[in-house]
Amino acid sequence: MADIVGIDLGTTNSLCAIFRDGQPVLIPNAHGEFLTPSIVGILDDDQVLVGAAARELRVTRPERCQSTFKRHMGSDRKLKIGDKTFTAVDLSSLVLRSLKVDAEAFLGRRVKEAVITVPAYFNDLQRKATRRAGELAGLRVRRIINEPTAAALTYGFHDRKSDKKLFIIDLGGGTFDVTLLEVFEGSLEIISTAGESFLGGEDFTDRLAATVLKGQGLELEAAEMKSPLLVSRLRQECELAKRRLLDAEEAVIRLPNSRGLIDEGAKTVTLTRQEFATVVQPLLDRVKGPIGKTLRDGRCEPADLEDVILVGGATRMPAMRKFVADYFQREPLCRFNPDEVVALGAAVQAALIADDAAVEDMVMTDVCPFTLGVEVGKEFAMRHMDGYFMPIIHRNTTIPVSCERDVVTVSQNQQEMTIRVYQGEGRRVQDNLLLGQVKVTGIPNGPAGQHVSIRFTYDVNGILEVEAFLPPNGKKFTTVIKNNAQDLTEDEVEATLARMRELKFYPRDDVVNQRLLLFAEKAVGEVSQYDRESLEEALDLFEVSMASGDRVSFASAREGLLMVLASLGVHYDGDVGATDAEG
Ligand code: AMP
């Protein structure tokens, strides 16, 4: 049976898992870690770095890196790295390619198929973009599933015999989703879901960085233009402070200089847990809306729930946990690591697709997270007004689903009609998202009021297909949504594939050393002038022996560099043991 990997393609981190020996297991990357930062960097010699090494590069060379690009999935926004331009799909495909290579190294065979997770609230364009990123990475995407659904699959897999209602709260790096579901003897039924595509842990870090800068009389956006190195490093400091507040009552943030360096005399700002909670309160307030909507849609009260489950790294924040505990009047459950539970669930979904015997008693049904419909006109006292939204599939309908509604021609002998397809909850289309349009031509002559049927089919991947046809003979006009900026012609897809294939990855076996090199280079500018010389010496030796390919001298140079860093009190957390330079 072909291996189908489960991939959590996250805003900040991505993970890959596989179902084997009756269990989902995580796949380590070249650093021996399960979390691969979703960051892409390109070195001066055009080699591509993905993950932790790119995260190091971002601190000193932010212009050679891109991160949080998941936020631009489904848009045609251009993202620059050096003199190259990418879309979010291109960059996501590089992250996926890196995970695929890690999986192949782990399994010792080619990996060609994947289940990829997306936020439940991702729209049609974002889902199609994710699927295309998979294809660009050389993966056949067997299924796109919602992140909270994947998390539910992990819980359901380990607790099949129960009968209960669960509520999943998923706050990742860039997106927020909540899902209500019922587990009953191995069957998982998603009842309702809601979310926000632009709310995640990164917003909490940004808000903190903006507050710190404000205290120094600076605005975040202006500072970003003027001193990108300062902002990039300050973000890293704020991220650390945010994490430190998990165990500590207060955290110190060191202020970098305009070159992004934290020198010995750097100013500091001390932040208490309470101050952090106050700074991020406006973000916590936004969490309430989708929770209330999901409970209402599922006709459920907090008291009806057995457990509230936290998923996504940002749910670790004490402020978030306290908010959830207050809202639901109970401590949330976190049996599985919130960073890992989605990827593990994707692997369970892969096992379901592959008919693995270990999941033969499991069934899962999901819902369409938003209402889908078309634009229609309405008559008001003989006045025709366009711009109204007619739902065809209501939100939280169980999928796959196919629904049909009719629209009518508005003038005599009208032969053409453009059907605009929207997603959203607004009464007017201007408040909803335009997904695309279907042109209907060749309507036979006749009076106004002739019917045209529109059928929406929403599949298990959350991808919409639209058909328009003339009742009663069923003459069909068009079957796919056209005319959104993301639809590429076959030639364009080929050209993108060729462009992405040209990019050369930094060799996997050396990436651990590249990460150490970038880390130590950053440290050179930060240690005192007295220590700088010894660090530079160790770094020079490391770089020379890395290039030489001599294993013995390389191993001792690496050891030497790590020892010098440790003796200077510089903590390096990326060490997974000595690695050959030549691989
Ligand atoms: P995910 O996309 O699920 O990997 O979530 C990543 C987000 O979780 C990032 O925005 C991180 O800043 C945040 N995060 C991870 N660990 C912690 C922690 N200990 N405290 C606060 N936020 C965290």
Side-chain angles (χ1 to χ4, degrees):
M1 193 191 337
D3 292 305
I4 310 176
V5 290
I7 295 180
D8 170 5
L9 183 60
T11 310
T12 31
N13 293 300
S14 296
L15 295 93
C16 186
I18 182 96
F19 197 87
R20 68 174 191 187
D21 303 329
Q23 295 270 0
V25 290
L26 292 167
I27 294 177
N29 59 24
H31 307 278
E33 296 162 350
F34 296 135
L35 267 68
T36 296
S38 308
I39 303 176
V40 175
I42 300 189
L43 295 166
D44 288 330
D45 61 3
D46 278 352
Q47 295 197 82
V48 175
L49 285 177
V50 172
R55 186 175 56 199
E56 288 302 338
L57 184 69
R58 186 181 57 171
V59 179
T60 46
R61 307 284 306 275
E63 79 289 357
R64 297 216 63 99
C65 296
Q66 282 288 347
S67 52
T68 62
F69 36 84
K70 180 172 168 180
R71 297 195 144 182
H72 305 298
M73 284 300 256
S75 82
D76 52 4
R77 184 164 168 153
K78 301 280 178 281
L79 303 163
K80 274 187 91 84
I81 301 185
D83 58 359
K84 294 188 167 49
T85 305
F86 298 91
T87 62
V89 170
D90 298 339
L91 296 171
S92 300
S93 81
L94 294 174
V95 174
L96 291 170
R97 202 161 111 186
S98 167
L99 297 175
K100 176 177 183 288
V101 170
D102 288 334
E104 289 173 346
F106 179 76
L107 296 168
R109 4 176 229 277
R110 295 292 301 273
V111 169
K112 294 189 182 144
E113 299 189 322
V115 168
I116 305 181
T117 63
V118 293
Y121 223 58
F122 248 25
N123 66 42
D124 192 66
L125 308 181
Q126 293 165 311
R127 283 165 197 266
K128 283 185 180 143
T130 305
R131 177 179 279 259
R132 208 168 51 249
E135 284 158 8
L136 282 178
L139 289 166
R140 179 172 166 226
V141 181
R142 293 292 302 269
R143 188 72 57 87
I144 297 277
I145 63 163
N146 296 330
E147 287 161 10
T149 304
L153 277 170
T154 304
Y155 277 85
F157 174 75
H158 289 282
D159 192 9
R160 272 180 254 186
K161 291 285 158 264
S162 57
D163 174 9
K164 56 190 173 191
K165 273 194 176 145
L166 303 174
F167 199 81
I168 296 188
I169 299 182
D170 179 0
L171 188 64
T175 53
F176 173 61
D177 283 319
V178 291
T179 292
L180 170 67
L181 74 143
E182 188 156 13
V183 183
F184 179 67
E185 291 188 353
S187 98
L188 270 77
E189 187 191 342
I190 307 292
I191 301 171
S192 53
T193 190
E196 263 207 50
S197 313
F198 283 90
L199 178 61
E202 299 305 302
D203 297 291
F204 288 72
T205 308
D206 272 5
R207 217 179 155 85
L208 182 53
T211 309
V212 171
L213 284 171
K214 210 169 189 130
Q216 308 300 308
L218 295 167
E219 290 297 326
L220 178 65
E221 274 176 19
E224 206 150 29
M225 301 284 284
K226 209 168 131 237
S227 317
L229 289 173
L230 181 156
V231 176
S232 150
R233 188 65 196 275
L234 178 64
R235 270 211 180 93
Q236 205 186 36
E237 277 291 299
C238 289
E239 176 68 30
L240 287 174
K242 189 175 84 170
R243 288 171 186 243
R244 258 183 244 127
L245 290 176
L246 191 61
D247 314 302
E249 269 309 313
E250 55 179 45
V252 173
I253 298 170
R254 299 169 300 165
L255 300 182
N257 62 25
S258 60
R259 285 174 295 126
L261 296 176
I262 294 178
D263 34 45
E264 270 191 314
K267 271 209 253 174
T268 57
V269 174
T270 303
L271 181 83
T272 65
R273 211 182 248 195
Q274 185 49 46
E275 280 165 346
F276 178 67
T278 310
V279 166
V280 300
Q281 190 56 47
L283 297 173
L284 288 175
D285 288 342
R286 279 167 59 192
V287 160
K288 278 187 208 149
I291 294 180
K293 188 168 153 196
T294 303
L295 287 172
R296 279 193 302 280
D297 281 359
R299 297 170 194 278
C300 179
E301 296 290 332
D304 304 333
L305 299 167
E306 190 85 18
D307 283 317
V308 178
I309 293 170
L310 297 182
V311 179
T315 54
R316 288 209 177 89
M317 286 182 293
M320 181 68 188
R321 292 198 169 201
K322 179 171 180 320
F323 165 79
V324 173
D326 289 349
Y327 190 102
F328 290 94
Q329 292 294 297
R330 80 192 63 190
E331 283 307 315
L333 188 73
C334 213
R335 203 173 122 205
F336 296 97
N337 183 329
D339 294 320
E340 299 173 354
V341 62
V342 169
L344 292 170
V348 174
Q349 175 64 69
L352 285 167
I353 293 172
D355 285 331
D356 193 297
V359 292
E360 66 183 7
D361 57 340
M362 280 182 80
V363 188
M364 196 264 299
T365 63
D366 210 337
V367 295
C368 167
F370 23 64
T371 304
L372 295 160
V374 296
E375 179 179 6
V376 288
K378 288 191 178 181
E379 300 295 328
F380 292 105
M382 306 294 281
R383 266 186 58 218
H384 182 86
M385 304 270 283
D386 280 324
Y388 288 88
F389 180 59
M390 179 177 85
I392 295 186
I393 297 178
H394 287 276
R395 70 167 188 256
N396 293 321
T397 305
T398 299
I399 58 171
V401 62
S402 196
C403 294
E404 231 174 270
R405 280 189 80 173
D406 285 4
V407 290
V408 290
T409 54
V410 288
S411 54
Q412 191 176 6
N413 296 341
Q414 181 181 338
Q415 292 179 337
E416 287 188 5
M417 184 185 271
T418 298
I419 294 167
R420 270 183 276 276
V421 178
Y422 285 85
Q423 164 208 309
E425 311 308 324
R427 180 171 169 250
R428 292 167 201 270
V429 292
Q430 67 190 38
D431 300 323
N432 297 334
L433 175 77
L434 177 66
L435 295 179
Q437 56 190 29
V438 178
K439 186 140 182 152
V440 175
T441 53
I443 303 172
N445 282 342
Q450 285 207 79
H451 284 238
V452 172
S453 296
I454 303 168
R455 183 185 299 142
F456 276 19
T457 305
Y458 195 85
D459 70 11
V460 283
N461 295 304
I463 290 181
L464 176 68
E465 195 180 321
V466 178
E467 293 165 291
F469 55 93
L470 262 193
N473 67 7
K475 182 185 169 199
K476 211 189 267 182
F477 294 105
T478 312
T479 52
V480 280
I481 301 187
K482 281 270 183 295
N483 191 35
N484 63 58
Q486 287 74 50
D487 273 341
L488 301 182
T489 62
E490 264 177 39
D491 286 351
E492 284 166 331
V493 170
E494 257 321 302
T496 313
L497 262 174
R499 197 163 54 83
M500 300 309 286
R501 261 193 233 116
E502 257 175 35
L503 293 170
K504 289 278 164 286
F505 265 60
Y506 194 86
R508 182 176 188 271
D509 293 327
D510 279 355
V511 82
V512 173
N513 303 317
Q514 182 66 27
R515 175 178 175 185
L516 174 59
L517 183 77
L518 290 164
F519 176 85
E521 279 180 345
K522 177 183 74 184
V524 166
E526 296 185 344
V527 296
S528 79
Q529 60 195 62
Y530 312 105
D531 297 330
R532 180 178 172 131
E533 204 173 317
S534 59
L535 179 56
E536 276 209 63
E537 252 172 45
L539 193 50
D540 288 348
L541 196 60
F542 178 64
E543 206 172 358
V544 168
S545 55
M546 215 171 134
S548 77
D550 174 352
R551 283 162 188 255
V552 179
S553 72
F554 172 74
S556 85
R558 188 174 206 282
E559 192 59 27
L561 177 57
L562 288 167
M563 272 166 58
V564 171
L565 284 169
S567 72
L568 302 181
V570 181
H571 174 67
Y572 178 60
D573 65 3
D575 190 30
V576 288
T579 310
D580 288 344
E582 41 175 34

